[in-house]
Amino acid sequence: MSQDGRCEADIKRRIGLTYAVFNKLANIWNCNRLAMGIKMQVYKAMVLPVLIYGSESWTMRKQDENRVLVAEMSWLRTITGISDCSTSVSRKSGK
């Protein structure tokens, strides 16, 4: 936490650590034989704790909240196999 009460550096650090853990588990996310429920259990047990460790002391601004949400949505898209939101929206709309 900085002197002005912001936690931006810690939040960025936690997101970076979580990306590292997430990427080490790539063989699980890419395995077609594992059910989605199992993948989500692994995500909740192994990935999310890295992100939220110490988060109870964070002072979250909207920018920080968005940063966390963008990272989390990226991980969830990878797990579910959705590569990009814009391509799935354009396919549904017929563009």
PDB file of all heavy atoms in Angstrom, residues 25-61:
ATOM      1  N   LEU A  25      -0.642 -24.130 -15.222  1.00  0.00           N
ATOM      2  CA  LEU A  25      -1.716 -25.126 -15.279  1.00  0.00           C
ATOM      3  C   LEU A  25      -2.321 -25.245 -16.684  1.00  0.00           C
ATOM      4  O   LEU A  25      -3.410 -25.783 -16.848  1.00  0.00           O
ATOM      5  CB  LEU A  25      -2.804 -24.774 -14.265  1.00  0.00           C
ATOM      6  CG  LEU A  25      -2.364 -24.762 -12.800  1.00  0.00           C
ATOM      7  CD1 LEU A  25      -3.446 -24.179 -11.926  1.00  0.00           C
ATOM      8  CD2 LEU A  25      -1.988 -26.160 -12.355  1.00  0.00           C
ATOM      9  N   ALA A  26      -1.614 -24.769 -17.685  1.00  0.00           N
ATOM     10  CA  ALA A  26      -2.137 -24.759 -19.058  1.00  0.00           C
ATOM     11  C   ALA A  26      -2.520 -26.142 -19.551  1.00  0.00           C
ATOM     12  O   ALA A  26      -3.498 -26.283 -20.299  1.00  0.00           O
ATOM     13  CB  ALA A  26      -1.114 -24.123 -20.003  1.00  0.00           C
ATOM     14  N   ASN A  27      -1.778 -27.159 -19.125  1.00  0.00           N
ATOM     15  CA  ASN A  27      -2.122 -28.511 -19.589  1.00  0.00           C
ATOM     16  C   ASN A  27      -3.504 -28.935 -19.088  1.00  0.00           C
ATOM     17  O   ASN A  27      -4.198 -29.704 -19.745  1.00  0.00           O
ATOM     18  CB  ASN A  27      -1.060 -29.528 -19.167  1.00  0.00           C
ATOM     19  CG  ASN A  27      -0.867 -29.569 -17.660  1.00  0.00           C
ATOM     20  OD1 ASN A  27      -1.204 -28.622 -16.953  1.00  0.00           O
ATOM     21  ND2 ASN A  27      -0.296 -30.642 -17.168  1.00  0.00           N
ATOM     22  N   ILE A  28      -3.933 -28.423 -17.952  1.00  0.00           N
ATOM     23  CA  ILE A  28      -5.275 -28.720 -17.447  1.00  0.00           C
ATOM     24  C   ILE A  28      -6.319 -27.980 -18.271  1.00  0.00           C
ATOM     25  O   ILE A  28      -7.338 -28.540 -18.668  1.00  0.00           O
ATOM     26  CB  ILE A  28      -5.392 -28.357 -15.954  1.00  0.00           C
ATOM     27  CG1 ILE A  28      -4.513 -29.300 -15.143  1.00  0.00           C
ATOM     28  CG2 ILE A  28      -6.844 -28.401 -15.483  1.00  0.00           C
ATOM     29  CD1 ILE A  28      -4.418 -28.963 -13.677  1.00  0.00           C
ATOM     30  N   TRP A  29      -6.081 -26.711 -18.539  1.00  0.00           N
ATOM     31  CA  TRP A  29      -7.068 -25.907 -19.287  1.00  0.00           C
ATOM     32  C   TRP A  29      -7.226 -26.433 -20.707  1.00  0.00           C
ATOM     33  O   TRP A  29      -8.308 -26.341 -21.273  1.00  0.00           O
ATOM     34  CB  TRP A  29      -6.667 -24.437 -19.323  1.00  0.00           C
ATOM     35  CG  TRP A  29      -6.198 -23.848 -18.035  1.00  0.00           C
ATOM     36  CD1 TRP A  29      -5.107 -23.045 -17.866  1.00  0.00           C
ATOM     37  CD2 TRP A  29      -6.776 -23.979 -16.721  1.00  0.00           C
ATOM     38  NE1 TRP A  29      -4.978 -22.702 -16.543  1.00  0.00           N
ATOM     39  CE2 TRP A  29      -5.987 -23.259 -15.820  1.00  0.00           C
ATOM     40  CE3 TRP A  29      -7.883 -24.668 -16.222  1.00  0.00           C
ATOM     41  CZ2 TRP A  29      -6.264 -23.184 -14.458  1.00  0.00           C
ATOM     42  CZ3 TRP A  29      -8.165 -24.603 -14.863  1.00  0.00           C
ATOM     43  CH2 TRP A  29      -7.371 -23.861 -14.004  1.00  0.00           C
ATOM     44  N   ASN A  30      -6.161 -26.982 -21.281  1.00  0.00           N
ATOM     45  CA  ASN A  30      -6.206 -27.454 -22.669  1.00  0.00           C
ATOM     46  C   ASN A  30      -6.656 -28.908 -22.808  1.00  0.00           C
ATOM     47  O   ASN A  30      -6.826 -29.379 -23.931  1.00  0.00           O
ATOM     48  CB  ASN A  30      -4.828 -27.292 -23.318  1.00  0.00           C
ATOM     49  CG  ASN A  30      -4.416 -25.842 -23.405  1.00  0.00           C
ATOM     50  OD1 ASN A  30      -5.253 -24.948 -23.527  1.00  0.00           O
ATOM     51  ND2 ASN A  30      -3.132 -25.582 -23.324  1.00  0.00           N
ATOM     52  N   CYS A  31      -6.839 -29.597 -21.704  1.00  0.00           N
ATOM     53  CA  CYS A  31      -7.214 -31.014 -21.758  1.00  0.00           C
ATOM     54  C   CYS A  31      -8.700 -31.156 -22.091  1.00  0.00           C
ATOM     55  O   CYS A  31      -9.567 -30.687 -21.353  1.00  0.00           O
ATOM     56  CB  CYS A  31      -6.914 -31.678 -20.421  1.00  0.00           C
ATOM     57  SG  CYS A  31      -7.308 -33.430 -20.410  1.00  0.00           S
ATOM     58  N   ASN A  32      -8.983 -31.813 -23.199  1.00  0.00           N
ATOM     59  CA  ASN A  32     -10.373 -32.003 -23.620  1.00  0.00           C
ATOM     60  C   ASN A  32     -11.074 -33.117 -22.850  1.00  0.00           C
ATOM     61  O   ASN A  32     -12.291 -33.216 -22.871  1.00  0.00           O
ATOM     62  CB  ASN A  32     -10.426 -32.302 -25.117  1.00  0.00           C
ATOM     63  CG  ASN A  32      -9.995 -31.118 -25.944  1.00  0.00           C
ATOM     64  OD1 ASN A  32     -10.166 -29.980 -25.538  1.00  0.00           O
ATOM     65  ND2 ASN A  32      -9.413 -31.387 -27.094  1.00  0.00           N
ATOM     66  N   ARG A  33     -10.297 -33.954 -22.178  1.00  0.00           N
ATOM     67  CA  ARG A  33     -10.885 -35.077 -21.447  1.00  0.00           C
ATOM     68  C   ARG A  33     -11.404 -34.677 -20.070  1.00  0.00           C
ATOM     69  O   ARG A  33     -12.168 -35.415 -19.468  1.00  0.00           O
ATOM     70  CB  ARG A  33      -9.875 -36.205 -21.316  1.00  0.00           C
ATOM     71  CG  ARG A  33      -9.511 -36.813 -22.667  1.00  0.00           C
ATOM     72  CD  ARG A  33      -8.520 -37.909 -22.525  1.00  0.00           C
ATOM     73  NE  ARG A  33      -7.295 -37.351 -21.905  1.00  0.00           N
ATOM     74  CZ  ARG A  33      -6.258 -38.064 -21.542  1.00  0.00           C
ATOM     75  NH1 ARG A  33      -6.262 -39.362 -21.709  1.00  0.00           N
ATOM     76  NH2 ARG A  33      -5.200 -37.509 -21.010  1.00  0.00           N
ATOM     77  N   LEU A  34     -10.982 -33.517 -19.580  1.00  0.00           N
ATOM     78  CA  LEU A  34     -11.451 -33.061 -18.268  1.00  0.00           C
ATOM     79  C   LEU A  34     -12.764 -32.294 -18.413  1.00  0.00           C
ATOM     80  O   LEU A  34     -12.901 -31.444 -19.296  1.00  0.00           O
ATOM     81  CB  LEU A  34     -10.422 -32.142 -17.611  1.00  0.00           C
ATOM     82  CG  LEU A  34      -9.197 -32.801 -17.016  1.00  0.00           C
ATOM     83  CD1 LEU A  34      -8.243 -31.743 -16.458  1.00  0.00           C
ATOM     84  CD2 LEU A  34      -9.579 -33.776 -15.930  1.00  0.00           C
ATOM     85  N   ALA A  35     -13.686 -32.578 -17.532  1.00  0.00           N
ATOM     86  CA  ALA A  35     -14.976 -31.877 -17.544  1.00  0.00           C
ATOM     87  C   ALA A  35     -14.775 -30.437 -17.089  1.00  0.00           C
ATOM     88  O   ALA A  35     -13.852 -30.121 -16.332  1.00  0.00           O
ATOM     89  CB  ALA A  35     -15.957 -32.588 -16.612  1.00  0.00           C
ATOM     90  N   MET A  36     -15.658 -29.571 -17.545  1.00  0.00           N
ATOM     91  CA  MET A  36     -15.589 -28.160 -17.192  1.00  0.00           C
ATOM     92  C   MET A  36     -15.688 -27.968 -15.674  1.00  0.00           C
ATOM     93  O   MET A  36     -15.018 -27.094 -15.108  1.00  0.00           O
ATOM     94  CB  MET A  36     -16.708 -27.380 -17.891  1.00  0.00           C
ATOM     95  CG  MET A  36     -16.612 -25.885 -17.712  1.00  0.00           C
ATOM     96  SD  MET A  36     -15.087 -25.165 -18.348  1.00  0.00           S
ATOM     97  CE  MET A  36     -15.207 -25.584 -20.066  1.00  0.00           C
ATOM     98  N   GLY A  37     -16.478 -28.793 -15.021  1.00  0.00           N
ATOM     99  CA  GLY A  37     -16.622 -28.686 -13.567  1.00  0.00           C
ATOM    100  C   GLY A  37     -15.304 -28.930 -12.839  1.00  0.00           C
ATOM    101  O   GLY A  37     -14.981 -28.244 -11.865  1.00  0.00           O
ATOM    102  N   ILE A  38     -14.531 -29.881 -13.325  1.00  0.00           N
ATOM    103  CA  ILE A  38     -13.220 -30.178 -12.735  1.00  0.00           C
ATOM    104  C   ILE A  38     -12.279 -28.999 -12.953  1.00  0.00           C
ATOM    105  O   ILE A  38     -11.547 -28.584 -12.041  1.00  0.00           O
ATOM    106  CB  ILE A  38     -12.611 -31.465 -13.335  1.00  0.00           C
ATOM    107  CG1 ILE A  38     -13.506 -32.669 -13.079  1.00  0.00           C
ATOM    108  CG2 ILE A  38     -11.194 -31.688 -12.836  1.00  0.00           C
ATOM    109  CD1 ILE A  38     -13.607 -33.062 -11.620  1.00  0.00           C
ATOM    110  N   LYS A  39     -12.300 -28.459 -14.157  1.00  0.00           N
ATOM    111  CA  LYS A  39     -11.438 -27.304 -14.457  1.00  0.00           C
ATOM    112  C   LYS A  39     -11.790 -26.124 -13.552  1.00  0.00           C
ATOM    113  O   LYS A  39     -10.889 -25.438 -13.053  1.00  0.00           O
ATOM    114  CB  LYS A  39     -11.574 -26.900 -15.928  1.00  0.00           C
ATOM    115  CG  LYS A  39     -10.997 -27.909 -16.889  1.00  0.00           C
ATOM    116  CD  LYS A  39     -11.183 -27.459 -18.321  1.00  0.00           C
ATOM    117  CE  LYS A  39     -10.654 -28.480 -19.300  1.00  0.00           C
ATOM    118  NZ  LYS A  39     -10.758 -28.023 -20.697  1.00  0.00           N
ATOM    119  N   MET A  40     -13.074 -25.910 -13.320  1.00  0.00           N
ATOM    120  CA  MET A  40     -13.484 -24.796 -12.463  1.00  0.00           C
ATOM    121  C   MET A  40     -13.089 -25.051 -11.013  1.00  0.00           C
ATOM    122  O   MET A  40     -12.729 -24.111 -10.297  1.00  0.00           O
ATOM    123  CB  MET A  40     -14.992 -24.553 -12.585  1.00  0.00           C
ATOM    124  CG  MET A  40     -15.412 -24.000 -13.941  1.00  0.00           C
ATOM    125  SD  MET A  40     -14.490 -22.536 -14.474  1.00  0.00           S
ATOM    126  CE  MET A  40     -14.940 -21.368 -13.209  1.00  0.00           C
ATOM    127  N   GLN A  41     -13.130 -26.297 -10.573  1.00  0.00           N
ATOM    128  CA  GLN A  41     -12.686 -26.616  -9.218  1.00  0.00           C
ATOM    129  C   GLN A  41     -11.192 -26.334  -9.059  1.00  0.00           C
ATOM    130  O   GLN A  41     -10.760 -25.790  -8.037  1.00  0.00           O
ATOM    131  CB  GLN A  41     -12.989 -28.073  -8.883  1.00  0.00           C
ATOM    132  CG  GLN A  41     -14.445 -28.345  -8.623  1.00  0.00           C
ATOM    133  CD  GLN A  41     -14.706 -29.820  -8.339  1.00  0.00           C
ATOM    134  OE1 GLN A  41     -13.828 -30.666  -8.493  1.00  0.00           O
ATOM    135  NE2 GLN A  41     -15.927 -30.123  -7.922  1.00  0.00           N
ATOM    136  N   VAL A  42     -10.419 -26.687 -10.063  1.00  0.00           N
ATOM    137  CA  VAL A  42      -8.981 -26.405 -10.034  1.00  0.00           C
ATOM    138  C   VAL A  42      -8.755 -24.899 -10.017  1.00  0.00           C
ATOM    139  O   VAL A  42      -7.920 -24.391  -9.253  1.00  0.00           O
ATOM    140  CB  VAL A  42      -8.265 -27.059 -11.235  1.00  0.00           C
ATOM    141  CG1 VAL A  42      -6.816 -26.589 -11.340  1.00  0.00           C
ATOM    142  CG2 VAL A  42      -8.338 -28.567 -11.140  1.00  0.00           C
ATOM    143  N   TYR A  43      -9.488 -24.178 -10.830  1.00  0.00           N
ATOM    144  CA  TYR A  43      -9.381 -22.717 -10.888  1.00  0.00           C
ATOM    145  C   TYR A  43      -9.673 -22.096  -9.527  1.00  0.00           C
ATOM    146  O   TYR A  43      -8.915 -21.252  -9.034  1.00  0.00           O
ATOM    147  CB  TYR A  43     -10.345 -22.179 -11.962  1.00  0.00           C
ATOM    148  CG  TYR A  43     -10.419 -20.674 -12.038  1.00  0.00           C
ATOM    149  CD1 TYR A  43      -9.387 -19.945 -12.616  1.00  0.00           C
ATOM    150  CD2 TYR A  43     -11.521 -19.989 -11.548  1.00  0.00           C
ATOM    151  CE1 TYR A  43      -9.451 -18.570 -12.695  1.00  0.00           C
ATOM    152  CE2 TYR A  43     -11.590 -18.616 -11.630  1.00  0.00           C
ATOM    153  CZ  TYR A  43     -10.562 -17.907 -12.206  1.00  0.00           C
ATOM    154  OH  TYR A  43     -10.636 -16.538 -12.273  1.00  0.00           O
ATOM    155  N   LYS A  44     -10.759 -22.543  -8.905  1.00  0.00           N
ATOM    156  CA  LYS A  44     -11.153 -21.979  -7.607  1.00  0.00           C
ATOM    157  C   LYS A  44     -10.183 -22.363  -6.492  1.00  0.00           C
ATOM    158  O   LYS A  44      -9.979 -21.597  -5.551  1.00  0.00           O
ATOM    159  CB  LYS A  44     -12.571 -22.426  -7.244  1.00  0.00           C
ATOM    160  CG  LYS A  44     -13.620 -21.776  -8.112  1.00  0.00           C
ATOM    161  CD  LYS A  44     -15.008 -22.318  -7.809  1.00  0.00           C
ATOM    162  CE  LYS A  44     -16.046 -21.741  -8.746  1.00  0.00           C
ATOM    163  NZ  LYS A  44     -17.368 -22.338  -8.508  1.00  0.00           N
ATOM    164  N   ALA A  45      -9.580 -23.548  -6.593  1.00  0.00           N
ATOM    165  CA  ALA A  45      -8.699 -24.033  -5.540  1.00  0.00           C
ATOM    166  C   ALA A  45      -7.248 -23.583  -5.707  1.00  0.00           C
ATOM    167  O   ALA A  45      -6.544 -23.387  -4.715  1.00  0.00           O
ATOM    168  CB  ALA A  45      -8.747 -25.555  -5.477  1.00  0.00           C
ATOM    169  N   MET A  46      -6.786 -23.426  -6.950  1.00  0.00           N
ATOM    170  CA  MET A  46      -5.368 -23.172  -7.192  1.00  0.00           C
ATOM    171  C   MET A  46      -5.053 -21.767  -7.702  1.00  0.00           C
ATOM    172  O   MET A  46      -3.964 -21.264  -7.463  1.00  0.00           O
ATOM    173  CB  MET A  46      -4.832 -24.179  -8.220  1.00  0.00           C
ATOM    174  CG  MET A  46      -5.043 -25.628  -7.867  1.00  0.00           C
ATOM    175  SD  MET A  46      -3.949 -26.218  -6.596  1.00  0.00           S
ATOM    176  CE  MET A  46      -2.391 -26.162  -7.416  1.00  0.00           C
ATOM    177  N   VAL A  47      -5.998 -21.153  -8.408  1.00  0.00           N
ATOM    178  CA  VAL A  47      -5.714 -19.868  -9.043  1.00  0.00           C
ATOM    179  C   VAL A  47      -6.269 -18.698  -8.224  1.00  0.00           C
ATOM    180  O   VAL A  47      -5.529 -17.769  -7.890  1.00  0.00           O
ATOM    181  CB  VAL A  47      -6.276 -19.846 -10.485  1.00  0.00           C
ATOM    182  CG1 VAL A  47      -6.054 -18.502 -11.146  1.00  0.00           C
ATOM    183  CG2 VAL A  47      -5.638 -20.957 -11.316  1.00  0.00           C
ATOM    184  N   LEU A  48      -7.538 -18.749  -7.910  1.00  0.00           N
ATOM    185  CA  LEU A  48      -8.151 -17.629  -7.191  1.00  0.00           C
ATOM    186  C   LEU A  48      -7.491 -17.300  -5.850  1.00  0.00           C
ATOM    187  O   LEU A  48      -7.338 -16.115  -5.533  1.00  0.00           O
ATOM    188  CB  LEU A  48      -9.650 -17.868  -7.000  1.00  0.00           C
ATOM    189  CG  LEU A  48     -10.519 -17.597  -8.218  1.00  0.00           C
ATOM    190  CD1 LEU A  48     -11.995 -17.806  -7.871  1.00  0.00           C
ATOM    191  CD2 LEU A  48     -10.297 -16.224  -8.787  1.00  0.00           C
ATOM    192  N   PRO A  49      -7.082 -18.291  -5.056  1.00  0.00           N
ATOM    193  CA  PRO A  49      -6.421 -17.933  -3.785  1.00  0.00           C
ATOM    194  C   PRO A  49      -5.161 -17.083  -3.968  1.00  0.00           C
ATOM    195  O   PRO A  49      -4.860 -16.234  -3.133  1.00  0.00           O
ATOM    196  CB  PRO A  49      -6.083 -19.288  -3.165  1.00  0.00           C
ATOM    197  CG  PRO A  49      -7.105 -20.204  -3.719  1.00  0.00           C
ATOM    198  CD  PRO A  49      -7.325 -19.734  -5.133  1.00  0.00           C
ATOM    199  N   VAL A  50      -4.438 -17.303  -5.062  1.00  0.00           N
ATOM    200  CA  VAL A  50      -3.245 -16.492  -5.332  1.00  0.00           C
ATOM    201  C   VAL A  50      -3.645 -15.044  -5.560  1.00  0.00           C
ATOM    202  O   VAL A  50      -3.000 -14.117  -5.061  1.00  0.00           O
ATOM    203  CB  VAL A  50      -2.468 -17.040  -6.548  1.00  0.00           C
ATOM    204  CG1 VAL A  50      -1.284 -16.161  -6.890  1.00  0.00           C
ATOM    205  CG2 VAL A  50      -2.022 -18.467  -6.293  1.00  0.00           C
ATOM    206  N   LEU A  51      -4.734 -14.833  -6.278  1.00  0.00           N
ATOM    207  CA  LEU A  51      -5.197 -13.476  -6.566  1.00  0.00           C
ATOM    208  C   LEU A  51      -5.722 -12.785  -5.313  1.00  0.00           C
ATOM    209  O   LEU A  51      -5.379 -11.629  -5.058  1.00  0.00           O
ATOM    210  CB  LEU A  51      -6.292 -13.501  -7.637  1.00  0.00           C
ATOM    211  CG  LEU A  51      -6.922 -12.158  -7.991  1.00  0.00           C
ATOM    212  CD1 LEU A  51      -5.881 -11.225  -8.609  1.00  0.00           C
ATOM    213  CD2 LEU A  51      -8.101 -12.353  -8.929  1.00  0.00           C
ATOM    214  N   ILE A  52      -6.515 -13.456  -4.539  1.00  0.00           N
ATOM    215  CA  ILE A  52      -7.211 -12.767  -3.445  1.00  0.00           C
ATOM    216  C   ILE A  52      -6.446 -12.744  -2.121  1.00  0.00           C
ATOM    217  O   ILE A  52      -6.911 -12.140  -1.156  1.00  0.00           O
ATOM    218  CB  ILE A  52      -8.619 -13.354  -3.226  1.00  0.00           C
ATOM    219  CG1 ILE A  52      -8.555 -14.809  -2.802  1.00  0.00           C
ATOM    220  CG2 ILE A  52      -9.478 -13.166  -4.470  1.00  0.00           C
ATOM    221  CD1 ILE A  52      -9.905 -15.383  -2.405  1.00  0.00           C
ATOM    222  N   TYR A  53      -5.269 -13.380  -2.075  1.00  0.00           N
ATOM    223  CA  TYR A  53      -4.480 -13.340  -0.851  1.00  0.00           C
ATOM    224  C   TYR A  53      -4.149 -11.886  -0.494  1.00  0.00           C
ATOM    225  O   TYR A  53      -3.568 -11.150  -1.286  1.00  0.00           O
ATOM    226  CB  TYR A  53      -3.185 -14.139  -1.008  1.00  0.00           C
ATOM    227  CG  TYR A  53      -2.329 -14.135   0.224  1.00  0.00           C
ATOM    228  CD1 TYR A  53      -2.624 -14.975   1.287  1.00  0.00           C
ATOM    229  CD2 TYR A  53      -1.249 -13.282   0.338  1.00  0.00           C
ATOM    230  CE1 TYR A  53      -1.850 -14.973   2.440  1.00  0.00           C
ATOM    231  CE2 TYR A  53      -0.472 -13.270   1.479  1.00  0.00           C
ATOM    232  CZ  TYR A  53      -0.777 -14.114   2.525  1.00  0.00           C
ATOM    233  OH  TYR A  53      -0.014 -14.094   3.658  1.00  0.00           O
ATOM    234  N   GLY A  54      -4.565 -11.460   0.655  1.00  0.00           N
ATOM    235  CA  GLY A  54      -4.317 -10.095   1.117  1.00  0.00           C
ATOM    236  C   GLY A  54      -5.296  -9.061   0.585  1.00  0.00           C
ATOM    237  O   GLY A  54      -5.183  -7.879   0.901  1.00  0.00           O
ATOM    238  N   SER A  55      -6.266  -9.495  -0.203  1.00  0.00           N
ATOM    239  CA  SER A  55      -7.185  -8.534  -0.827  1.00  0.00           C
ATOM    240  C   SER A  55      -8.108  -7.852   0.174  1.00  0.00           C
ATOM    241  O   SER A  55      -8.672  -6.792  -0.126  1.00  0.00           O
ATOM    242  CB  SER A  55      -8.020  -9.218  -1.905  1.00  0.00           C
ATOM    243  OG  SER A  55      -8.847 -10.207  -1.336  1.00  0.00           O
ATOM    244  N   GLU A  56      -8.273  -8.434   1.368  1.00  0.00           N
ATOM    245  CA  GLU A  56      -9.157  -7.811   2.352  1.00  0.00           C
ATOM    246  C   GLU A  56      -8.623  -6.458   2.814  1.00  0.00           C
ATOM    247  O   GLU A  56      -9.378  -5.643   3.328  1.00  0.00           O
ATOM    248  CB  GLU A  56      -9.391  -8.740   3.547  1.00  0.00           C
ATOM    249  CG  GLU A  56      -8.151  -9.081   4.345  1.00  0.00           C
ATOM    250  CD  GLU A  56      -7.397 -10.283   3.790  1.00  0.00           C
ATOM    251  OE1 GLU A  56      -7.812 -10.877   2.797  1.00  0.00           O
ATOM    252  OE2 GLU A  56      -6.353 -10.609   4.383  1.00  0.00           O
ATOM    253  N   SER A  57      -7.341  -6.202   2.589  1.00  0.00           N
ATOM    254  CA  SER A  57      -6.772  -4.921   2.998  1.00  0.00           C
ATOM    255  C   SER A  57      -6.651  -3.928   1.837  1.00  0.00           C
ATOM    256  O   SER A  57      -6.174  -2.815   2.024  1.00  0.00           O
ATOM    257  CB  SER A  57      -5.394  -5.130   3.636  1.00  0.00           C
ATOM    258  OG  SER A  57      -4.492  -5.646   2.671  1.00  0.00           O
ATOM    259  N   TRP A  58      -7.064  -4.328   0.638  1.00  0.00           N
ATOM    260  CA  TRP A  58      -6.967  -3.442  -0.512  1.00  0.00           C
ATOM    261  C   TRP A  58      -8.023  -2.350  -0.458  1.00  0.00           C
ATOM    262  O   TRP A  58      -9.176  -2.589  -0.104  1.00  0.00           O
ATOM    263  CB  TRP A  58      -7.164  -4.198  -1.821  1.00  0.00           C
ATOM    264  CG  TRP A  58      -6.081  -5.151  -2.186  1.00  0.00           C
ATOM    265  CD1 TRP A  58      -4.839  -5.252  -1.629  1.00  0.00           C
ATOM    266  CD2 TRP A  58      -6.151  -6.159  -3.193  1.00  0.00           C
ATOM    267  NE1 TRP A  58      -4.129  -6.254  -2.225  1.00  0.00           N
ATOM    268  CE2 TRP A  58      -4.906  -6.830  -3.197  1.00  0.00           C
ATOM    269  CE3 TRP A  58      -7.123  -6.558  -4.081  1.00  0.00           C
ATOM    270  CZ2 TRP A  58      -4.630  -7.869  -4.060  1.00  0.00           C
ATOM    271  CZ3 TRP A  58      -6.846  -7.603  -4.937  1.00  0.00           C
ATOM    272  CH2 TRP A  58      -5.610  -8.244  -4.939  1.00  0.00           C
ATOM    273  N   THR A  59      -7.625  -1.160  -0.862  1.00  0.00           N
ATOM    274  CA  THR A  59      -8.560  -0.071  -1.097  1.00  0.00           C
ATOM    275  C   THR A  59      -8.770  -0.023  -2.608  1.00  0.00           C
ATOM    276  O   THR A  59      -7.897   0.414  -3.345  1.00  0.00           O
ATOM    277  CB  THR A  59      -7.983   1.268  -0.604  1.00  0.00           C
ATOM    278  OG1 THR A  59      -7.626   1.127   0.762  1.00  0.00           O
ATOM    279  CG2 THR A  59      -8.984   2.383  -0.778  1.00  0.00           C
ATOM    280  N   MET A  60      -9.915  -0.515  -3.044  1.00  0.00           N
ATOM    281  CA  MET A  60     -10.156  -0.666  -4.480  1.00  0.00           C
ATOM    282  C   MET A  60     -10.796   0.580  -5.074  1.00  0.00           C
ATOM    283  O   MET A  60     -11.823   1.048  -4.600  1.00  0.00           O
ATOM    284  CB  MET A  60     -11.082  -1.860  -4.743  1.00  0.00           C
ATOM    285  CG  MET A  60     -10.530  -3.195  -4.327  1.00  0.00           C
ATOM    286  SD  MET A  60      -9.411  -3.895  -5.512  1.00  0.00           S
ATOM    287  CE  MET A  60     -10.531  -4.485  -6.742  1.00  0.00           C
ATOM    288  N   ARG A  61     -10.153   1.088  -6.123  1.00  0.00           N
ATOM    289  CA  ARG A  61     -10.766   2.121  -6.947  1.00  0.00           C
ATOM    290  C   ARG A  61     -11.409   1.415  -8.136  1.00  0.00           C
ATOM    291  O   ARG A  61     -11.186   0.229  -8.369  1.00  0.00           O
ATOM    292  CB  ARG A  61      -9.709   3.105  -7.444  1.00  0.00           C
ATOM    293  CG  ARG A  61      -9.042   3.874  -6.320  1.00  0.00           C
ATOM    294  CD  ARG A  61      -7.925   4.756  -6.824  1.00  0.00           C
ATOM    295  NE  ARG A  61      -6.930   3.917  -7.503  1.00  0.00           N
ATOM    296  CZ  ARG A  61      -6.237   4.309  -8.564  1.00  0.00           C
ATOM    297  NH1 ARG A  61      -6.411   5.501  -9.082  1.00  0.00           N
ATOM    298  NH2 ARG A  61      -5.364   3.507  -9.119  1.00  0.00           N
TER     299      ARG A  61
END
